[in-house]
Amino acid sequence: MIPQLRRLLTQLRFLFSPNSRHDLDEELQFHIDQSTQQKIAQGLPPEEARRQTLIEFGGVERARDESHQQRPGWWIETLAQDIRYALRGFRRNPVFTVTAIATLALGIGATTAVFSVVDPILFRALPYGHPDGLVSIGLTQSLEKQEFTLGGFYYYWKDNQTPFESLTEEGGTDECDLTEHNPVRLNCARVEGNFLPTLGISPLLGRNFLPEEDRPHGPKVALISYGLWLTQYNRDPGVLNKLIEIDGRSVRVIGVLPKDFEMPRLQAADVVVPRAVDISAQRTVNDGLGIPMWVFARLKPGITIEQAYQAMQPLYQDILKILPVEDRAVFRKDFHFKVRSLRDRQVDDIRLIAWILFGSVLAVLLIACANVASLLLTRATARQRELAVRSALGASRARLIRQTLTEAVLLSLAGAAAGCGLAAILLKIFVAIAPAGIPFLGKAALDPRILLFTVLLALFSGMLFGLVPALKRPSPGALAARTTPSGNHAALRRALVVGQVSVSMILLSGAGLLLRSFQNLQSQNLGMQTHGILTVQTSLTLQRYASSQKKMEFYRQVEGAIRRIPGITSVGISDSLPPAGWHGGRRYADLLVDGRSATPLNTGGTVTCRSVTPGYFRALGIPLVKGQNFTEEQRDLPNEHFMILSRLLADRLFPQQNPLNQRIRIGLDDFWYTIVGVASEVRNADLQGDNEPEFYTLRRYSDSNWNHTILTVETTLPPDTVVPWIRSQISHLDPTVPVDIEPMHERISKLADRPRFESALLGFFAFTGLLMAIIGLYGVTAFMVAQRTQEVGVRMALGASRSSILRLILWDGVRLIALGTTLGLGASLALSRLLRTMLFSIGPHDPVTFTAVTVLLALVALIATLLPASSATKVDPVVALRYE
Amino acid sequence: MPPSTDLLQGTLDLLILKTLALESMHGWGIAQRIQQVSRDALQIGQGSLYPALHRLEYRGWIQSDWGASENNRRAKFYSLTPAGTQQLQTELETWDRLSSAIGLIVRQTPEAAS
């Protein structure tokens, strides 16, 4: 320890001591003088003695340099020299420098930004204790791919399971109102009493629920979120044990949730209350299936998910035996038991796009690295002569390698710095254009680890390809001026170009497919009018509008008031809107046609239903293909019920029959609906899905459920004019009601946010990749042309025509392009299958897209080779030959 | 000067340290002393001597001071530091081990080999 320390101190002393060159000179001079004197003493004449001494002594300069190089700080001096030299080189060659730095910046910036977005989705730590042991358990069905459970199953499993430490369930979140002095609309989550301990969450303040609080009619208590504590109670610890009023009922606050709390299904939750399930009733309610719930469990240590699944499978089979006979077959056929990690559940649908982004950004990085490598190789070849000269002047190979490395590192660092800036900007853009509902995007921040990774990668590739030429001993031939050192790295450079072209082919075809799919999505016929339509929604507090009657009165007045606004042509009311979002649904088997026997239960899937006013069809411009629309008068008839079928449902229920005036009963209702019309198809299963059969019932003034109410307003005036009028009309009726007005086309545009985001991102990468590949191709061709100037001169002097020269040069590029495109085409045909689930009405091997992409790539690449090639034809043979 | 290149790697350091162990000396003196003691078998050229001296100095094994030479000229005198004394000991041991090992191999008779 001590000797090392001393040595370090000695070195530091020399590092900072003034330059000792003068001392060294004096020392060497002394040596020479002594030697001369000795020789004189031996009898040589002074002149001769001096001459012999100098011969014996050898190079003074070399001795001086070598002694100097022993200094501890010597490498810093060299480094400074190398850097100065590199910077001079960059200044002399700005095109090279800017291209290299821009390429690196794009590669590093794009990669870092995308990693930063993808990382929290794929790899973030869940905010629970030991999250790796958490699983989600439940049933999946053809219509519900995300597992859920029913009370009838859950409590049986809970009592008999072995693989889990504990199981817990949540019943989803509902809107609720904090009905204190200034009411706020909140999200209330209902969970089982052991929810927090199972997930490994401890309240920031206060305590978890007690067992008696999780029983029906138990004390009303709640945990509040950190956000609510902050905004509503100003982080006052006195909130504990305070009674707050939720939906008009007193609830005691028993704790505050931690800041990073989130529900396992990521729903927003401001208040968490015990669900207080009546366990004994679970075998009777909902046909003995129990209420729906979402179940999460913690695995016992050492148990894998697969083992847990195997252990739970018999329990699932057991419970099926308890079910009514007619349900059993359905469950066996359509339902599947599923156990998977909580993380898998959370990232389920975002996972694919995350991996695709990940892959495409890696591809861009690859192209960028190849580009830099190719640039460095080109530069190195061009500098072979310079290296040979330096080597001849005495630069050691180590020194030359260090010089090359210094340049590569400088370039990479400059690229990395620019890349950091670009990454920050790109990340902002991503977050801004990303659709709502991509989890964790808000939390995406530039991750220094990721930045470091990409910078290191860039450094590595720079050094690697900087080294390849430096490692070769400069041949003396390279000194001889113009003799072409061309063929050297040509093969490597060509390989890089082929690689770049094929990788950009993959990116382009992926982007092309997504873009076409997005176009299809946007341009599809929704079956209804979307422009000039406003949707109006209000949230009525339960306190002021307790009864359905009160709500109906309110909406009746609103409808009348809006109808009187000038420029409004029709107003409809419905409980939901196509093409996506919540809507009512029934089982197909529930529809009983008068005079027919019931369809066997549980065949035929589900049917969408909407409760609408006659104005709904008028406002949305949905034509009736048979029969008539509902009438205003029908809304007042208390004892008659009317229905309109969608064409799909009409064709299915009444093939080759006239559906008009047929009567239908739904489920166990004690009345019949009379069919008055058939409406044309409207997209009703999201933008991507196949249409579901649908029926419309007349929303009447008497019996309807007014909880879900949306007004659709058709107007001939611009929305900006009409919106304030509508708002003032509603606030005239009740100033406390919040009103949400949104144009229909914006609502629909939001549904396409996700595909838009996906195709925009992939498009961006494809464009970046293409750009860089083209730069690479151009650079290589231009360089080859420059190398062959003399050859071209000879050919022309011997009588070659300009077009044959052009062919000669072009042929070289065309071969590279053809090879790259073919390889890329093969790879993208294989890879595009991954995109299948993201594509809408287009196959993953869509010939149009692939042809277009191939042609585009080939064309652009051809232009990139044509430009330098045509400059080759302008070579003046005389000039080219005199070059030598 | 040619013999110096025949010196074993690292041997020069040992020779310098050993020479300086007796008294402090300037570069010329060190070269002369080595030449004398080895009966002209080893001649140290300045091309290797001075880089070696500087290297040893930067390692902290020897230190230098300006002083007056025999003929009253300003000269740089090198002397051993405590660390250098230690280093000399280590190098001597290494040298002994090495030379006896080499001796064993070189002096091996054909009979012993078979």
PDB file of all heavy atoms in Angstrom, chain A residues 353-375:
ATOM      1  N   ILE A 353     -46.304  -4.269 -29.862  1.00  0.00           N
ATOM      2  CA  ILE A 353     -45.821  -3.024 -30.459  1.00  0.00           C
ATOM      3  C   ILE A 353     -44.525  -2.591 -29.786  1.00  0.00           C
ATOM      4  O   ILE A 353     -43.615  -2.073 -30.423  1.00  0.00           O
ATOM      5  CB  ILE A 353     -46.903  -1.916 -30.411  1.00  0.00           C
ATOM      6  CG1 ILE A 353     -46.384  -0.623 -31.033  1.00  0.00           C
ATOM      7  CG2 ILE A 353     -47.392  -1.645 -29.028  1.00  0.00           C
ATOM      8  CD1 ILE A 353     -46.165  -0.704 -32.496  1.00  0.00           C
ATOM      9  N   ALA A 354     -44.419  -2.870 -28.487  1.00  0.00           N
ATOM     10  CA  ALA A 354     -43.180  -2.513 -27.791  1.00  0.00           C
ATOM     11  C   ALA A 354     -41.996  -3.278 -28.384  1.00  0.00           C
ATOM     12  O   ALA A 354     -40.954  -2.703 -28.665  1.00  0.00           O
ATOM     13  CB  ALA A 354     -43.305  -2.811 -26.299  1.00  0.00           C
ATOM     14  N   TRP A 355     -42.196  -4.567 -28.625  1.00  0.00           N
ATOM     15  CA  TRP A 355     -41.104  -5.346 -29.202  1.00  0.00           C
ATOM     16  C   TRP A 355     -40.809  -4.920 -30.628  1.00  0.00           C
ATOM     17  O   TRP A 355     -39.654  -4.914 -31.060  1.00  0.00           O
ATOM     18  CB  TRP A 355     -41.413  -6.847 -29.152  1.00  0.00           C
ATOM     19  CG  TRP A 355     -41.169  -7.427 -27.798  1.00  0.00           C
ATOM     20  CD1 TRP A 355     -42.103  -7.944 -26.952  1.00  0.00           C
ATOM     21  CD2 TRP A 355     -39.908  -7.560 -27.109  1.00  0.00           C
ATOM     22  NE1 TRP A 355     -41.509  -8.362 -25.796  1.00  0.00           N
ATOM     23  CE2 TRP A 355     -40.163  -8.148 -25.866  1.00  0.00           C
ATOM     24  CE3 TRP A 355     -38.603  -7.219 -27.436  1.00  0.00           C
ATOM     25  CZ2 TRP A 355     -39.160  -8.419 -24.937  1.00  0.00           C
ATOM     26  CZ3 TRP A 355     -37.601  -7.492 -26.515  1.00  0.00           C
ATOM     27  CH2 TRP A 355     -37.887  -8.081 -25.288  1.00  0.00           C
ATOM     28  N   ILE A 356     -41.867  -4.563 -31.368  1.00  0.00           N
ATOM     29  CA  ILE A 356     -41.642  -4.151 -32.752  1.00  0.00           C
ATOM     30  C   ILE A 356     -40.841  -2.848 -32.793  1.00  0.00           C
ATOM     31  O   ILE A 356     -39.902  -2.696 -33.568  1.00  0.00           O
ATOM     32  CB  ILE A 356     -42.985  -4.012 -33.490  1.00  0.00           C
ATOM     33  CG1 ILE A 356     -43.521  -5.419 -33.779  1.00  0.00           C
ATOM     34  CG2 ILE A 356     -42.832  -3.231 -34.774  1.00  0.00           C
ATOM     35  CD1 ILE A 356     -44.871  -5.446 -34.378  1.00  0.00           C
ATOM     36  N   LEU A 357     -41.214  -1.926 -31.907  1.00  0.00           N
ATOM     37  CA  LEU A 357     -40.472  -0.673 -31.815  1.00  0.00           C
ATOM     38  C   LEU A 357     -39.018  -0.954 -31.483  1.00  0.00           C
ATOM     39  O   LEU A 357     -38.099  -0.395 -32.076  1.00  0.00           O
ATOM     40  CB  LEU A 357     -41.052   0.189 -30.705  1.00  0.00           C
ATOM     41  CG  LEU A 357     -42.194   1.081 -31.092  1.00  0.00           C
ATOM     42  CD1 LEU A 357     -42.603   1.934 -29.917  1.00  0.00           C
ATOM     43  CD2 LEU A 357     -41.755   1.960 -32.238  1.00  0.00           C
ATOM     44  N   PHE A 358     -38.866  -1.816 -30.508  1.00  0.00           N
ATOM     45  CA  PHE A 358     -37.549  -2.213 -30.047  1.00  0.00           C
ATOM     46  C   PHE A 358     -36.724  -2.736 -31.225  1.00  0.00           C
ATOM     47  O   PHE A 358     -35.592  -2.318 -31.461  1.00  0.00           O
ATOM     48  CB  PHE A 358     -37.780  -3.326 -29.025  1.00  0.00           C
ATOM     49  CG  PHE A 358     -36.644  -3.635 -28.143  1.00  0.00           C
ATOM     50  CD1 PHE A 358     -36.433  -2.888 -27.009  1.00  0.00           C
ATOM     51  CD2 PHE A 358     -35.814  -4.692 -28.417  1.00  0.00           C
ATOM     52  CE1 PHE A 358     -35.397  -3.187 -26.171  1.00  0.00           C
ATOM     53  CE2 PHE A 358     -34.774  -4.991 -27.574  1.00  0.00           C
ATOM     54  CZ  PHE A 358     -34.556  -4.237 -26.447  1.00  0.00           C
ATOM     55  N   GLY A 359     -37.336  -3.636 -31.982  1.00  0.00           N
ATOM     56  CA  GLY A 359     -36.647  -4.225 -33.123  1.00  0.00           C
ATOM     57  C   GLY A 359     -36.311  -3.188 -34.174  1.00  0.00           C
ATOM     58  O   GLY A 359     -35.193  -3.154 -34.691  1.00  0.00           O
ATOM     59  N   SER A 360     -37.278  -2.286 -34.465  1.00  0.00           N
ATOM     60  CA  SER A 360     -37.025  -1.362 -35.558  1.00  0.00           C
ATOM     61  C   SER A 360     -35.975  -0.341 -35.169  1.00  0.00           C
ATOM     62  O   SER A 360     -35.189   0.104 -35.990  1.00  0.00           O
ATOM     63  CB  SER A 360     -38.322  -0.679 -35.999  1.00  0.00           C
ATOM     64  OG  SER A 360     -38.998  -0.196 -34.896  1.00  0.00           O
ATOM     65  N   VAL A 361     -35.957   0.005 -33.892  1.00  0.00           N
ATOM     66  CA  VAL A 361     -34.959   0.983 -33.485  1.00  0.00           C
ATOM     67  C   VAL A 361     -33.577   0.341 -33.478  1.00  0.00           C
ATOM     68  O   VAL A 361     -32.576   0.979 -33.809  1.00  0.00           O
ATOM     69  CB  VAL A 361     -35.333   1.596 -32.131  1.00  0.00           C
ATOM     70  CG1 VAL A 361     -34.911   0.738 -31.002  1.00  0.00           C
ATOM     71  CG2 VAL A 361     -34.715   2.965 -32.013  1.00  0.00           C
ATOM     72  N   LEU A 362     -33.530  -0.931 -33.168  1.00  0.00           N
ATOM     73  CA  LEU A 362     -32.247  -1.626 -33.257  1.00  0.00           C
ATOM     74  C   LEU A 362     -31.772  -1.653 -34.711  1.00  0.00           C
ATOM     75  O   LEU A 362     -30.590  -1.478 -34.991  1.00  0.00           O
ATOM     76  CB  LEU A 362     -32.379  -3.055 -32.736  1.00  0.00           C
ATOM     77  CG  LEU A 362     -32.204  -3.214 -31.236  1.00  0.00           C
ATOM     78  CD1 LEU A 362     -32.207  -4.679 -30.866  1.00  0.00           C
ATOM     79  CD2 LEU A 362     -30.903  -2.577 -30.782  1.00  0.00           C
ATOM     80  N   ALA A 363     -32.732  -1.846 -35.612  1.00  0.00           N
ATOM     81  CA  ALA A 363     -32.393  -1.861 -37.027  1.00  0.00           C
ATOM     82  C   ALA A 363     -31.810  -0.517 -37.444  1.00  0.00           C
ATOM     83  O   ALA A 363     -30.804  -0.451 -38.161  1.00  0.00           O
ATOM     84  CB  ALA A 363     -33.632  -2.189 -37.853  1.00  0.00           C
ATOM     85  N   VAL A 364     -32.447   0.574 -36.957  1.00  0.00           N
ATOM     86  CA  VAL A 364     -31.939   1.908 -37.294  1.00  0.00           C
ATOM     87  C   VAL A 364     -30.529   2.085 -36.744  1.00  0.00           C
ATOM     88  O   VAL A 364     -29.632   2.598 -37.414  1.00  0.00           O
ATOM     89  CB  VAL A 364     -32.884   2.996 -36.747  1.00  0.00           C
ATOM     90  CG1 VAL A 364     -32.245   4.358 -36.856  1.00  0.00           C
ATOM     91  CG2 VAL A 364     -34.189   2.965 -37.501  1.00  0.00           C
ATOM     92  N   LEU A 365     -30.332   1.628 -35.535  1.00  0.00           N
ATOM     93  CA  LEU A 365     -29.011   1.756 -34.908  1.00  0.00           C
ATOM     94  C   LEU A 365     -27.974   0.975 -35.717  1.00  0.00           C
ATOM     95  O   LEU A 365     -26.849   1.429 -35.930  1.00  0.00           O
ATOM     96  CB  LEU A 365     -29.079   1.229 -33.475  1.00  0.00           C
ATOM     97  CG  LEU A 365     -27.868   1.525 -32.611  1.00  0.00           C
ATOM     98  CD1 LEU A 365     -27.706   3.006 -32.423  1.00  0.00           C
ATOM     99  CD2 LEU A 365     -27.994   0.854 -31.264  1.00  0.00           C
ATOM    100  N   LEU A 366     -28.411  -0.180 -36.171  1.00  0.00           N
ATOM    101  CA  LEU A 366     -27.522  -1.026 -36.971  1.00  0.00           C
ATOM    102  C   LEU A 366     -27.113  -0.296 -38.245  1.00  0.00           C
ATOM    103  O   LEU A 366     -25.931  -0.267 -38.619  1.00  0.00           O
ATOM    104  CB  LEU A 366     -28.277  -2.307 -37.333  1.00  0.00           C
ATOM    105  CG  LEU A 366     -27.513  -3.596 -37.295  1.00  0.00           C
ATOM    106  CD1 LEU A 366     -27.149  -3.943 -35.867  1.00  0.00           C
ATOM    107  CD2 LEU A 366     -28.346  -4.708 -37.903  1.00  0.00           C
ATOM    108  N   ILE A 367     -28.106   0.296 -38.906  1.00  0.00           N
ATOM    109  CA  ILE A 367     -27.809   1.026 -40.141  1.00  0.00           C
ATOM    110  C   ILE A 367     -26.857   2.175 -39.843  1.00  0.00           C
ATOM    111  O   ILE A 367     -25.903   2.432 -40.584  1.00  0.00           O
ATOM    112  CB  ILE A 367     -29.113   1.548 -40.772  1.00  0.00           C
ATOM    113  CG1 ILE A 367     -29.983   0.370 -41.197  1.00  0.00           C
ATOM    114  CG2 ILE A 367     -28.806   2.425 -41.966  1.00  0.00           C
ATOM    115  CD1 ILE A 367     -31.249   0.785 -41.867  1.00  0.00           C
ATOM    116  N   ALA A 368     -27.126   2.863 -38.727  1.00  0.00           N
ATOM    117  CA  ALA A 368     -26.280   4.000 -38.374  1.00  0.00           C
ATOM    118  C   ALA A 368     -24.850   3.545 -38.154  1.00  0.00           C
ATOM    119  O   ALA A 368     -23.907   4.157 -38.658  1.00  0.00           O
ATOM    120  CB  ALA A 368     -26.821   4.686 -37.119  1.00  0.00           C
ATOM    121  N   CYS A 369     -24.694   2.448 -37.405  1.00  0.00           N
ATOM    122  CA  CYS A 369     -23.346   1.954 -37.131  1.00  0.00           C
ATOM    123  C   CYS A 369     -22.657   1.552 -38.429  1.00  0.00           C
ATOM    124  O   CYS A 369     -21.480   1.854 -38.645  1.00  0.00           O
ATOM    125  CB  CYS A 369     -23.394   0.763 -36.177  1.00  0.00           C
ATOM    126  SG  CYS A 369     -23.743   1.249 -34.491  1.00  0.00           S
ATOM    127  N   ALA A 370     -23.410   0.889 -39.307  1.00  0.00           N
ATOM    128  CA  ALA A 370     -22.834   0.458 -40.572  1.00  0.00           C
ATOM    129  C   ALA A 370     -22.391   1.666 -41.385  1.00  0.00           C
ATOM    130  O   ALA A 370     -21.348   1.662 -42.030  1.00  0.00           O
ATOM    131  CB  ALA A 370     -23.858  -0.354 -41.354  1.00  0.00           C
ATOM    132  N   ASN A 371     -23.203   2.734 -41.294  1.00  0.00           N
ATOM    133  CA  ASN A 371     -22.883   3.937 -42.042  1.00  0.00           C
ATOM    134  C   ASN A 371     -21.587   4.566 -41.554  1.00  0.00           C
ATOM    135  O   ASN A 371     -20.730   4.951 -42.335  1.00  0.00           O
ATOM    136  CB  ASN A 371     -24.021   4.945 -41.878  1.00  0.00           C
ATOM    137  CG  ASN A 371     -24.525   5.422 -43.201  1.00  0.00           C
ATOM    138  OD1 ASN A 371     -24.054   4.952 -44.229  1.00  0.00           O
ATOM    139  ND2 ASN A 371     -25.453   6.327 -43.191  1.00  0.00           N
ATOM    140  N   VAL A 372     -21.491   4.677 -40.247  1.00  0.00           N
ATOM    141  CA  VAL A 372     -20.284   5.267 -39.670  1.00  0.00           C
ATOM    142  C   VAL A 372     -19.085   4.408 -40.018  1.00  0.00           C
ATOM    143  O   VAL A 372     -18.026   4.915 -40.404  1.00  0.00           O
ATOM    144  CB  VAL A 372     -20.442   5.399 -38.148  1.00  0.00           C
ATOM    145  CG1 VAL A 372     -19.141   5.841 -37.535  1.00  0.00           C
ATOM    146  CG2 VAL A 372     -21.532   6.392 -37.831  1.00  0.00           C
ATOM    147  N   ALA A 373     -19.276   3.096 -39.914  1.00  0.00           N
ATOM    148  CA  ALA A 373     -18.189   2.188 -40.232  1.00  0.00           C
ATOM    149  C   ALA A 373     -17.752   2.383 -41.674  1.00  0.00           C
ATOM    150  O   ALA A 373     -16.556   2.520 -41.966  1.00  0.00           O
ATOM    151  CB  ALA A 373     -18.651   0.759 -40.013  1.00  0.00           C
ATOM    152  N   SER A 374     -18.737   2.458 -42.555  1.00  0.00           N
ATOM    153  CA  SER A 374     -18.435   2.602 -43.966  1.00  0.00           C
ATOM    154  C   SER A 374     -17.719   3.933 -44.231  1.00  0.00           C
ATOM    155  O   SER A 374     -16.759   4.008 -44.990  1.00  0.00           O
ATOM    156  CB  SER A 374     -19.753   2.500 -44.722  1.00  0.00           C
ATOM    157  OG  SER A 374     -19.619   2.934 -46.005  1.00  0.00           O
ATOM    158  N   LEU A 375     -18.194   4.985 -43.545  1.00  0.00           N
ATOM    159  CA  LEU A 375     -17.554   6.293 -43.694  1.00  0.00           C
ATOM    160  C   LEU A 375     -16.097   6.241 -43.243  1.00  0.00           C
ATOM    161  O   LEU A 375     -15.202   6.754 -43.915  1.00  0.00           O
ATOM    162  CB  LEU A 375     -18.295   7.332 -42.850  1.00  0.00           C
ATOM    163  CG  LEU A 375     -19.548   7.923 -43.464  1.00  0.00           C
ATOM    164  CD1 LEU A 375     -20.333   8.688 -42.423  1.00  0.00           C
ATOM    165  CD2 LEU A 375     -19.166   8.841 -44.612  1.00  0.00           C
TER     166      LEU A 375
END
